[in-house]
Amino acid sequence: MLAHFSFSDPALTVALALAVGTLVQGIAHHLRVPGIVFLLAAGVVLGPEGAGVVLPASLGTGLDMLVGFAVAVILFEGALHLDLRRLRREAHSIRGLVTSGALVTAVGGTLAPRLLLDWSWRTSLVFGTLVIVTGPTVVTPLLRRIRVRRNIATVLEAEGVLGDAVGAVAAAVAFEIAIDSGAGGFGVDAFVVRLAVGALVGGAVGGVASGLLKLRGWVPEGLRNIFTLTLALACFQISNSLVHESGIVAVVVAGLVLGNLRVHDVDELREFKEQLTTMFIGMLFVLLAADVGLADVRGLGWPGVAVVGVLMFVVRPLDVVVATRRSSLELKEKAFLAWLAPRGIVAAAVSTLFAESLESEGLEGGGELQALVFLVIAVTVVVQGLSGGVVASALGVREAPRGGYAVLGANAVGRALARELSVDTAGSILIDSNATECGRAEEEGLSVVYGSALQESVLVRAGLDHRAGCVGFTTNVGINFTFARRAAREFRSSAVWVALERNEVAVGAGMVERIGGRVLFGGPVRLVSWIRALERGTAVRCVLLPPPESKSTRLDAVLPPTDEVLPLARLRSGAATPVDGATRLGPEDRLACSVRREALAAVAAAVAERGWRLEQAGEPS
């Protein structure tokens, strides 16, 4: 018997918000625009004042719990990515933005609606504290796309995560004052207590989680991600149960602790949380945008737009001036910080909860508060998000190209390639999902990104779009090919190389050429055999030196047609490039290669016949 169909079904509302949120973010990714722009539009179009498909009101009180848990996961994931070593280097600016800068924003955000919209002081104060937050959900994707200097990115990312915690607690205290719930005075005591309890609970949970994850085998391999997720949710709710609205601080501190205690597979945890975050961001923005009354937004009129303008062009610059007055940041770096401060999911989520609470208390202004926060989010995301790259270029604060190579495969040959390709100051980086191989690479002083090359977040962390080239060397030629194709198409890498296995039929040289790639080593080789040879020490590093007055020579005219030598890189004037069939060796070039020990004499003789000289050498410094 068919069930009665209704869009007021809460399960259907959540399912549609999840599906639409994910689909919209995929479209935004291909169009290279901030996903939140489309998410907000989708929520409005599908909401009760649009198509009437997504109905947040059908969730009742369940919306509060859903929003709370989702925000907890989002901020926990954001904190996992914060590196304490980088935070210490920019500690002065970060501390200023989340303290004195936050106070400037709170004051300016309070005065603007009070003077321009004639709101009450209490409602204005709640709004002023809500707009303290920026948010990693908006800032981090923008920074990945526009690639600014590392110090600026560190400051903005830290402000997004830590500022959300401070802003959310400040907003909770301001809200208590607004409804006369006993906060008293300026709520300083309540503010400090929330921060302290959240920090203690988060620190304890983060420490326990990292300790258990470090005990090999205590948490089964397949449950480590779920284990961490459930602890984060428990941390959030336990802290909130002890002191209302302290949970956000708790999950931020827990994520910060766990992300910096060198847990074995923290990168895998980050990947898992990034996927959940993407899903929750899509769902929340669709639901929260659908929950906003368009009549309330229109009712703000031009005074509402003026409030947003004051926040962007007066309050934020003043915030940055006060917060960074004695920092080491350059003027143009401060100017970029002053421009980029889009609001995100925490402001939207908390304003929604406060609007409902104001209505339940019989107080006016809840709808207008939610509408003004929505307007701030929409304008700042659209204007600052779309112009961020242009402003960064105009100010000259984009990150300089890093150079170096990304090498897929931390096996013995991959490590040898990375060493050869790291002779210049840029350095190269290895990518692998094998923890043992990654550990060996780190012991040898090589840079490593742990994770699957099929995950976009892993490739982003490896900086593929700023590398001189990408090299795929694993024993799976299909993975090598897929990696090179993604590097060329999605990350626009100008040069990609693919290692092919001899007698392999699944991927051939023609396929590699069609994606604009090159066959590593000049042709297929026995991949597993060479990995074993380097692991066992039965192959040694050698360098081929040209004759005194040599001319430009093709690779196959220098090396004998044998499986006893593996060409790795052409060395020229302090730089190195991978070797392929089109490589030509000039009079100033040297060729680094691996040669099997038992064939050293034969290879040296064959090379000498071609006018070159083979010398056994140590590892490159």
Side-chain angles (χ1 to χ4, degrees):
M1 187 174 182
L2 293 176
H4 175 68
F5 179 83
S6 173
F7 282 116
S8 61
D9 180 358
L12 180 60
T13 291
V14 173
L16 288 175
L18 285 168
V20 171
T22 304
L23 176 64
V24 164
Q25 288 183 93
I27 295 172
H29 172 79
H30 289 296
L31 296 178
R32 295 185 176 273
V33 297
I36 294 176
V37 175
F38 286 173
L39 289 172
L40 293 175
V44 171
V45 170
L46 299 177
E49 297 189 34
V53 173
V54 176
L55 305 175
S58 67
L59 299 176
T61 57
L63 179 63
D64 296 357
M65 183 178 68
L66 188 64
V67 168
F69 277 166
V71 168
V73 172
I74 290 168
L75 290 183
F76 180 75
E77 186 268 334
L80 273 177
H81 285 83
L82 296 180
D83 187 332
L84 281 177
R85 292 169 297 182
R86 290 171 55 191
L87 296 186
R88 290 191 190 101
R89 288 195 289 268
E90 307 300 332
H92 183 88
S93 299
I94 295 168
R95 185 168 53 248
L97 286 171
V98 300
T99 55
S100 59
L103 181 61
V104 169
T105 302
V107 172
T110 300
L111 291 174
R114 170 62 183 166
L115 299 176
L116 296 173
L117 291 170
D118 197 28
W119 282 7
S120 69
W121 279 111
R122 291 181 175 184
T123 307
S124 298
L125 177 61
V126 174
F127 173 78
T129 52
L130 274 173
V131 293
I132 289 174
V133 303
T134 53
T137 58
V138 187
V139 171
T140 301
L142 283 176
L143 294 177
R144 285 180 177 176
R145 185 164 55 86
I146 63 181
R147 290 285 179 183
V148 297
R149 294 177 183 176
R150 178 62 62 90
N151 62 331
I152 305 176
T154 298
V155 172
L156 287 170
E157 288 170 355
E159 182 194 16
V161 176
L162 303 179
D164 273 8
V166 172
V169 171
V173 174
F175 181 74
E176 288 181 355
I177 295 174
I179 63 174
D180 289 325
S181 62
F186 292 101
V188 174
D189 291 343
F191 180 79
V192 172
V193 168
R194 282 178 167 87
L195 289 180
V197 171
L200 287 173
V201 173
V205 171
V208 169
S210 61
L212 294 176
L213 290 171
K214 284 181 178 179
L215 295 175
R216 298 264 182 166
W218 197 92
V219 180
E221 197 71 28
L223 295 179
R224 295 171 75 85
N225 289 333
I226 301 299
F227 170 78
T228 311
L229 171 64
T230 53
L231 276 187
L233 294 177
C235 172
F236 174 75
Q237 200 55 50
I238 289 171
S239 188
N240 272 344
S241 298
L242 293 173
V243 178
H244 186 56
E245 296 299 339
S246 65
I248 286 181
V249 178
V251 291
V252 167
V253 173
L256 193 61
V257 170
L258 185 59
N260 286 275
L261 285 184
R262 299 183 179 276
V263 176
H264 163 61
D265 48 5
V266 70
D267 283 337
E268 185 178 345
L269 295 176
R270 290 187 181 115
E271 289 176 28
F272 176 65
K273 297 298 182 295
E274 282 181 2
Q275 293 173 357
L276 285 178
T277 294
T278 300
M279 180 182 74
F280 282 137
I281 287 172
M283 176 192 72
L284 284 186
F285 269 114
V286 171
L287 285 176
L288 298 179
D291 196 48
V292 175
L294 294 183
D296 290 328
V297 176
R298 289 191 293 268
L300 296 172
W302 288 111
V305 176
V307 169
V308 180
V310 168
L311 287 175
M312 292 174 61
F313 301 112
V314 179
V315 176
R316 176 61 178 183
L318 184 59
D319 170 353
V320 172
V321 168
V322 171
T324 64
R325 62 189 181 280
R326 295 178 182 174
S327 73
S328 59
L329 293 175
E330 299 175 10
L331 180 60
K332 58 185 178 182
E333 293 172 336
K334 294 179 182 181
F336 185 75
L337 290 178
W339 175 246
L340 197 72
R343 271 58 177 188
I345 196 67
V346 172
V350 177
S351 69
T352 298
L353 300 181
F354 285 0
E356 294 177 356
S357 298
L358 285 172
E359 291 179 2
S360 66
E361 293 285 337
L363 300 174
E364 297 181 354
E368 290 81 0
L369 174 68
Q370 186 181 11
L372 186 56
V373 171
F374 177 85
L375 186 62
V376 170
I377 294 172
V379 174
T380 56
V381 168
V382 172
V383 175
Q384 297 175 343
L386 295 179
S387 66
V390 176
V391 173
S393 297
L395 292 173
V397 296
R398 278 186 178 271
E399 185 180 46
R402 280 177 285 183
Y405 291 81
V407 180
L408 175 62
N411 52 65
V413 175
R415 298 197 299 273
L417 275 167
R419 284 193 296 272
E420 298 293 350
L421 299 173
S422 296
V423 295
D424 59 5
T425 56
S428 294
I429 195 164
L430 288 158
I431 306 170
D432 207 308
S433 58
N434 185 308
T436 302
E437 298 289 14
C438 287
R440 290 173 180 167
E442 288 179 334
E443 289 173 1
E444 295 175 11
L446 298 169
S447 298
V448 184
V449 171
Y450 173 76
S452 169
L454 301 180
Q455 295 286 340
E456 181 180 9
S457 59
V458 173
L459 303 183
V460 168
R461 290 204 305 275
L464 260 64
D465 51 353
H466 285 271
R467 295 289 171 185
C470 300
V471 181
F473 186 97
T474 72
T475 55
N476 186 326
V477 296
I479 294 295
N480 296 341
F481 176 78
T482 301
F483 168 72
R485 182 173 57 188
R486 292 196 67 183
R489 293 181 179 176
E490 297 180 28
F491 292 86
R492 300 181 182 180
S493 181
S494 58
V496 295
W497 287 264
V498 178
L500 298 181
E501 175 68 53
R502 188 166 293 179
N503 301 322
E504 172 69 47
V505 295
V507 179
M511 293 176 62
V512 175
E513 291 171 1
R514 280 194 290 275
I515 65 169
R518 311 170 194 181
V519 177
L520 192 63
F521 312 127
V525 299
R526 300 187 186 279
L527 304 178
V528 175
S529 174
W530 275 107
I531 292 173
R532 290 175 178 169
L534 268 65
E535 286 176 343
R536 297 170 181 173
T538 58
V540 296
R541 180 178 185 266
C542 296
V543 175
L544 272 69
L545 303 175
E549 297 180 357
S550 66
K551 298 180 180 180
S552 179
T553 309
R554 285 172 32 200
L555 180 67
D556 56 7
V558 174
L559 290 178
T562 174
D563 191 40
E564 306 302 322
V565 58
L566 184 71
L568 295 174
R570 181 185 64 191
L571 310 178
R572 174 186 292 176
S573 302
T577 54
V579 172
D580 57 71
T583 297
R584 298 189 70 86
L585 301 172
E588 303 298 324
D589 294 340
R590 295 174 298 147
L591 181 67
C593 57
S594 289
V595 181
R596 299 184 192 272
R597 286 185 183 275
E598 70 274 11
L600 272 173
V603 171
V607 168
E609 290 178 1
R610 292 164 168 78
W612 284 61
R613 187 170 80 256
L614 179 72
E615 288 188 358
Q616 188 172 338
E619 298 299 336
S621 58

